[in-house]
Amino acid sequence: MPTPIDRRRFLSLSAASVGLAAYAAASEPTEAADGKVMPQAARARAGARVILFQGDSVTDVRRDRERAEPNDPQALGGGYPALAAAELLSGAPEAGWRCYNRGVSGHKVFQLLERWQADCLDLEPEVLSILIGVNDFWHTLSSGYEGTVEVYERDYRALVARTREALPDVGIIIGEPFAVTGGSALGEAWYPAFADYQAATRRVADDHGAAWVPYQSIFDEALTRASVDYWCADGVHPSLAGHALMAEAWLDAFRTLASA
Amino acid sequence: MPTPIDRRRFLSLSAASVGLAAYAAASEPTEAADGKVMPQAARARAGARVILFQGDSVTDVRRDRERAEPNDPQALGGGYPALAAAELLSGAPEAGWRCYNRGVSGHKVFQLLERWQADCLDLEPEVLSILIGVNDFWHTLSSGYEGTVEVYERDYRALVARTREALPDVGIIIGEPFAVTGGSALGEAWYPAFADYQAATRRVADDHGAAWVPYQSIFDEALTRASVDYWCADGVHPSLAGHALMAEAWLDAFRTLASA
């Protein structure tokens, strides 16, 4: 039943109500018990509580790459990472999350692999979010890219395996690449071929115990409420409204990590 | 009682649950019944449903002034306007809101007056949000500005009166200027002098039937949960977490307009 004061409910997306406290408690910082100075990475890890958003333009959203501090609105860009971070940071200040965005427009999964040491492993994320794959398909149509869905799945598995090897305890959130029906950049060639990339992504997520964000069905449902132009005009790059839907779906996946 | 699926509740900040539909229905677009071409402003008005955020740096937050489209993340800046807009746009797509930010860093209320025609009246907002006043006091300490609280209140009243005259049906939201206790830019000179500016702002809001956003008490309460560095390190410019608190408080005020 709706009440006049929904803010309290909204703000109740805090540690106690959504399991963030449990998640915080489950991950104790490492300590240099012998008194030695910890390596830089280890020190960053101990107090950092890093959440890293990785992906392509859907994650990038014109983030300012000159700004290096975590939790900085411009560094987080104009999309779901900033919106999700805002919600987490205001709802659970005691968690001490440090949120970074390292999405790069145009990237495919092999390009994440190329920059993974600096743009993921060195940041030692406690939670890693990946949304990739739309360019792995799209660029076969638009740019002569010759990678197949088999290459995509192989590289994606290598990416996640390398991450698990370096960071055994990392919580991984994998987002479903999506194409919003009717978007101006889409065409018949997307169907059913793109669905293979979505299915491959889901297999990778399931096989590695990653939380899954079902963005395609989120947007499918949204199309019953408003047009594709409202949510994601070209079918690939969401509007602010579309990013807000993504942020909520992402937070759902984050909570499943917390309660796992 | 918290449930595992808080997203449904979060998403339920939709038209039906928070009165946005009622608000939408209360304001019918004007029509050119005689078939004549409507003037530009009138045409913009008819389909526009403009929400305008006005203020100083706390509203500006590095918005990109080269981007003119409504609902654009970069044009809305990195603060509460973008966060509030994201929530409104995803929760009530049927309302068709067009959100603009025209906050300008450093501005005092007389500077809003100087640019009011182009930066407010010409946009014909259906909802106008104003957050101003901290510089009207701060700059008397930092920049030799000689305006008094009486000048501030007089100019603020003139601003709102001019708005009501041009746009009789506009819904107005006035935010309380705030100074977060312990912030690095604050000092003894702020107390109790700044409270006079807050009280003057409240009088203006009450006398003109504006919705009120009690930002000072929002931040006072937040300080029981985390430090001033977490919410608003200098006491004036909030972090992303602080802006998220502001967005929720702003949405509360918006709902009071909707239900009035």
Side-chain angles (χ1 to χ4, degrees), chain B residues 123-152:
Chain B
L123 288 163
E124 298 205 53
E126 187 169 323
V127 176
L128 166 66
S129 169
I130 309 172
L131 173 57
I132 201 76
V134 70
N135 294 322
D136 294 78
F137 171 72
W138 194 8
H139 291 184
T140 65
L141 305 176
S142 65
S143 313
Y145 174 62
E146 295 184 349
T148 62
V149 68
E150 290 76 21
V151 168
Y152 170 73

CSV table of all heavy atoms in Angstrom, one decimal, chain B residues 123-152:
chain,number,residue,atom,x,y,z
B,123,LEU,N,11.6,28.8,-20.8
B,123,LEU,CA,11.4,27.4,-20.8
B,123,LEU,C,10.0,26.9,-20.4
B,123,LEU,O,9.7,25.7,-20.5
B,123,LEU,CB,12.5,26.7,-19.9
B,123,LEU,CG,13.9,26.8,-20.4
B,123,LEU,CD1,14.9,26.5,-19.2
B,123,LEU,CD2,14.1,25.7,-21.4
B,124,GLU,N,9.2,27.9,-19.8
B,124,GLU,CA,7.9,27.6,-19.4
B,124,GLU,C,7.8,26.3,-18.5
B,124,GLU,O,7.0,25.4,-18.9
B,124,GLU,CB,6.9,27.5,-20.6
B,124,GLU,CG,6.9,28.8,-21.3
B,124,GLU,CD,5.6,29.0,-22.1
B,124,GLU,OE1,4.5,28.8,-21.5
B,124,GLU,OE2,5.7,29.2,-23.3
B,125,PRO,N,8.5,26.3,-17.4
B,125,PRO,CA,8.4,25.1,-16.6
B,125,PRO,C,7.0,24.9,-16.0
B,125,PRO,O,6.3,25.8,-15.7
B,125,PRO,CB,9.4,25.4,-15.5
B,125,PRO,CG,9.5,26.9,-15.4
B,125,PRO,CD,9.3,27.3,-16.8
B,126,GLU,N,6.7,23.6,-15.9
B,126,GLU,CA,5.5,23.2,-15.2
B,126,GLU,C,5.8,23.0,-13.7
B,126,GLU,O,5.0,23.3,-12.8
B,126,GLU,CB,5.0,21.9,-15.8
B,126,GLU,CG,3.6,21.5,-15.2
B,126,GLU,CD,3.1,20.3,-16.1
B,126,GLU,OE1,3.2,20.3,-17.3
B,126,GLU,OE2,2.5,19.4,-15.4
B,127,VAL,N,7.1,22.6,-13.5
B,127,VAL,CA,7.6,22.5,-12.1
B,127,VAL,C,9.0,23.2,-12.1
B,127,VAL,O,9.8,22.9,-12.9
B,127,VAL,CB,7.8,21.1,-11.7
B,127,VAL,CG1,8.4,21.0,-10.3
B,127,VAL,CG2,6.4,20.4,-11.7
B,128,LEU,N,9.1,24.2,-11.2
B,128,LEU,CA,10.4,24.9,-11.1
B,128,LEU,C,11.0,24.6,-9.7
B,128,LEU,O,10.3,24.8,-8.7
B,128,LEU,CB,10.1,26.4,-11.2
B,128,LEU,CG,11.2,27.4,-10.7
B,128,LEU,CD1,12.4,27.2,-11.6
B,128,LEU,CD2,10.7,28.8,-10.6
B,129,SER,N,12.2,24.2,-9.7
B,129,SER,CA,12.9,23.9,-8.5
B,129,SER,C,14.0,24.9,-8.3
B,129,SER,O,14.8,25.1,-9.2
B,129,SER,CB,13.5,22.5,-8.5
B,129,SER,OG,14.4,22.3,-7.5
B,130,ILE,N,14.1,25.6,-7.1
B,130,ILE,CA,15.1,26.6,-6.9
B,130,ILE,C,15.9,26.2,-5.6
B,130,ILE,O,15.3,25.9,-4.6
B,130,ILE,CB,14.5,28.0,-6.6
B,130,ILE,CG1,13.6,28.4,-7.8
B,130,ILE,CG2,15.6,29.0,-6.5
B,130,ILE,CD1,12.8,29.7,-7.5
B,131,LEU,N,17.2,26.2,-5.7
B,131,LEU,CA,18.0,26.0,-4.5
B,131,LEU,C,19.1,27.1,-4.6
B,131,LEU,O,20.1,27.0,-5.4
B,131,LEU,CB,18.7,24.6,-4.5
B,131,LEU,CG,19.7,24.4,-3.4
B,131,LEU,CD1,19.1,24.7,-2.0
B,131,LEU,CD2,20.3,23.0,-3.5
B,132,ILE,N,19.0,28.1,-3.8
B,132,ILE,CA,19.9,29.2,-3.8
B,132,ILE,C,20.1,29.8,-2.4
B,132,ILE,O,19.3,29.5,-1.6
B,132,ILE,CB,19.4,30.3,-4.8
B,132,ILE,CG1,20.5,31.2,-5.3
B,132,ILE,CG2,18.2,31.1,-4.2
B,132,ILE,CD1,21.4,30.7,-6.4
B,133,GLY,N,21.1,30.5,-2.2
B,133,GLY,CA,21.3,31.2,-0.9
B,133,GLY,C,22.6,31.0,-0.2
B,133,GLY,O,23.0,31.9,0.5
B,134,VAL,N,23.3,29.9,-0.4
B,134,VAL,CA,24.5,29.7,0.3
B,134,VAL,C,25.6,30.7,-0.1
B,134,VAL,O,26.3,31.2,0.8
B,134,VAL,CB,25.0,28.2,0.2
B,134,VAL,CG1,25.5,27.9,-1.2
B,134,VAL,CG2,26.1,27.9,1.2
B,135,ASN,N,25.6,31.0,-1.4
B,135,ASN,CA,26.6,32.0,-1.8
B,135,ASN,C,26.2,33.5,-1.3
B,135,ASN,O,27.1,34.3,-1.1
B,135,ASN,CB,26.8,32.0,-3.3
B,135,ASN,CG,27.4,30.7,-3.8
B,135,ASN,OD1,28.2,30.2,-3.2
B,135,ASN,ND2,26.9,30.3,-4.9
B,136,ASP,N,24.9,33.7,-1.2
B,136,ASP,CA,24.5,35.0,-0.7
B,136,ASP,C,25.0,35.3,0.7
B,136,ASP,O,25.3,36.5,1.0
B,136,ASP,CB,22.9,35.1,-0.7
B,136,ASP,CG,22.3,35.0,-2.1
B,136,ASP,OD1,22.3,33.9,-2.7
B,136,ASP,OD2,22.0,36.1,-2.7
B,137,PHE,N,25.2,34.3,1.4
B,137,PHE,CA,25.9,34.5,2.7
B,137,PHE,C,27.4,34.3,2.6
B,137,PHE,O,28.2,35.1,3.0
B,137,PHE,CB,25.3,33.5,3.8
B,137,PHE,CG,26.1,33.5,5.0
B,137,PHE,CD1,26.1,34.6,5.9
B,137,PHE,CD2,27.0,32.5,5.4
B,137,PHE,CE1,26.8,34.6,7.1
B,137,PHE,CE2,27.7,32.5,6.5
B,137,PHE,CZ,27.7,33.6,7.4
B,138,TRP,N,27.8,33.1,2.1
B,138,TRP,CA,29.2,32.7,2.0
B,138,TRP,C,30.1,33.9,1.4
B,138,TRP,O,31.2,34.2,2.0
B,138,TRP,CB,29.3,31.5,1.2
B,138,TRP,CG,30.6,30.7,1.3
B,138,TRP,CD1,31.7,31.0,2.2
B,138,TRP,CD2,31.0,29.6,0.6
B,138,TRP,NE1,32.7,30.0,2.0
B,138,TRP,CE2,32.3,29.2,1.0
B,138,TRP,CE3,30.4,28.9,-0.5
B,138,TRP,CZ2,33.0,28.1,0.4
B,138,TRP,CZ3,31.0,27.8,-1.0
B,138,TRP,CH2,32.3,27.4,-0.6
B,139,HIS,N,29.6,34.5,0.3
B,139,HIS,CA,30.4,35.4,-0.3
B,139,HIS,C,30.6,36.7,0.4
B,139,HIS,O,31.5,37.6,0.1
B,139,HIS,CB,29.9,35.7,-1.7
B,139,HIS,CG,30.0,34.5,-2.7
B,139,HIS,ND1,29.7,34.6,-4.0
B,139,HIS,CD2,30.5,33.3,-2.5
B,139,HIS,CE1,29.9,33.4,-4.6
B,139,HIS,NE2,30.4,32.6,-3.7
B,140,THR,N,29.8,36.9,1.5
B,140,THR,CA,30.0,38.1,2.3
B,140,THR,C,31.3,37.9,3.2
B,140,THR,O,31.9,38.8,3.6
B,140,THR,CB,28.8,38.4,3.3
B,140,THR,OG1,28.7,37.3,4.2
B,140,THR,CG2,27.5,38.6,2.5
B,141,LEU,N,31.6,36.6,3.4
B,141,LEU,CA,32.8,36.3,4.1
B,141,LEU,C,34.0,36.1,3.2
B,141,LEU,O,35.1,36.5,3.6
B,141,LEU,CB,32.6,34.9,4.9
B,141,LEU,CG,31.4,34.8,5.8
B,141,LEU,CD1,31.4,33.4,6.4
B,141,LEU,CD2,31.5,35.9,7.0
B,142,SER,N,33.8,35.5,2.0
B,142,SER,CA,34.9,35.1,1.2
B,142,SER,C,35.2,36.0,0.1
B,142,SER,O,36.4,36.0,-0.4
B,142,SER,CB,34.6,33.7,0.6
B,142,SER,OG,33.5,33.8,-0.3
B,143,SER,N,34.3,36.9,-0.3
B,143,SER,CA,34.5,37.6,-1.6
B,143,SER,C,34.1,39.1,-1.4
B,143,SER,O,34.1,39.8,-2.4
B,143,SER,CB,33.7,37.1,-2.7
B,143,SER,OG,33.8,35.7,-2.8
B,144,GLY,N,33.9,39.5,-0.2
B,144,GLY,CA,33.6,41.0,0.0
B,144,GLY,C,32.2,41.4,-0.5
B,144,GLY,O,31.9,42.5,-0.7
B,145,TYR,N,31.3,40.4,-0.8
B,145,TYR,CA,30.0,40.7,-1.3
B,145,TYR,C,29.2,41.4,-0.1
B,145,TYR,O,29.3,41.0,1.0
B,145,TYR,CB,29.3,39.4,-1.6
B,145,TYR,CG,27.8,39.6,-2.0
B,145,TYR,CD1,27.4,40.4,-3.1
B,145,TYR,CD2,26.8,38.9,-1.3
B,145,TYR,CE1,26.1,40.5,-3.4
B,145,TYR,CE2,25.5,39.0,-1.6
B,145,TYR,CZ,25.1,39.8,-2.7
B,145,TYR,OH,23.8,40.0,-3.0
B,146,GLU,N,28.5,42.5,-0.5
B,146,GLU,CA,27.9,43.3,0.5
B,146,GLU,C,26.4,43.1,0.7
B,146,GLU,O,25.8,43.9,1.4
B,146,GLU,CB,28.2,44.8,0.2
B,146,GLU,CG,29.8,45.1,0.3
B,146,GLU,CD,30.1,46.5,0.2
B,146,GLU,OE1,29.2,47.3,-0.3
B,146,GLU,OE2,31.3,46.9,0.4
B,147,GLY,N,25.8,42.2,0.0
B,147,GLY,CA,24.4,41.9,0.2
B,147,GLY,C,24.1,41.4,1.6
B,147,GLY,O,24.9,40.7,2.2
B,148,THR,N,22.9,41.9,2.1
B,148,THR,CA,22.5,41.4,3.4
B,148,THR,C,21.4,40.4,3.3
B,148,THR,O,20.9,40.1,2.2
B,148,THR,CB,21.9,42.6,4.2
B,148,THR,OG1,20.8,43.1,3.5
B,148,THR,CG2,23.0,43.7,4.3
B,149,VAL,N,21.0,39.8,4.4
B,149,VAL,CA,19.9,38.9,4.4
B,149,VAL,C,18.6,39.6,3.9
B,149,VAL,O,17.7,38.9,3.3
B,149,VAL,CB,19.7,38.2,5.7
B,149,VAL,CG1,19.2,39.1,6.8
B,149,VAL,CG2,18.8,36.9,5.6
B,150,GLU,N,18.5,40.9,4.2
B,150,GLU,CA,17.3,41.6,3.8
B,150,GLU,C,17.3,41.7,2.2
B,150,GLU,O,16.2,41.6,1.6
B,150,GLU,CB,17.2,43.0,4.4
B,150,GLU,CG,16.9,43.0,5.9
B,150,GLU,CD,18.1,42.6,6.8
B,150,GLU,OE1,19.3,42.7,6.3
B,150,GLU,OE2,17.9,42.1,7.9
B,151,VAL,N,18.4,42.0,1.7
B,151,VAL,CA,18.5,42.1,0.2
B,151,VAL,C,18.2,40.7,-0.4
B,151,VAL,O,17.5,40.6,-1.4
B,151,VAL,CB,20.0,42.5,-0.2
B,151,VAL,CG1,20.2,42.3,-1.7
B,151,VAL,CG2,20.2,43.9,0.2
B,152,TYR,N,18.7,39.7,0.2
B,152,TYR,CA,18.5,38.3,-0.2
B,152,TYR,C,17.0,38.0,-0.3
B,152,TYR,O,16.4,37.5,-1.3
B,152,TYR,CB,19.2,37.3,0.7
B,152,TYR,CG,18.9,35.9,0.5
B,152,TYR,CD1,19.3,35.2,-0.6
B,152,TYR,CD2,18.1,35.2,1.4
B,152,TYR,CE1,19.0,33.8,-0.8
B,152,TYR,CE2,17.8,33.8,1.3
B,152,TYR,CZ,18.2,33.2,0.1
B,152,TYR,OH,17.9,31.9,0.0
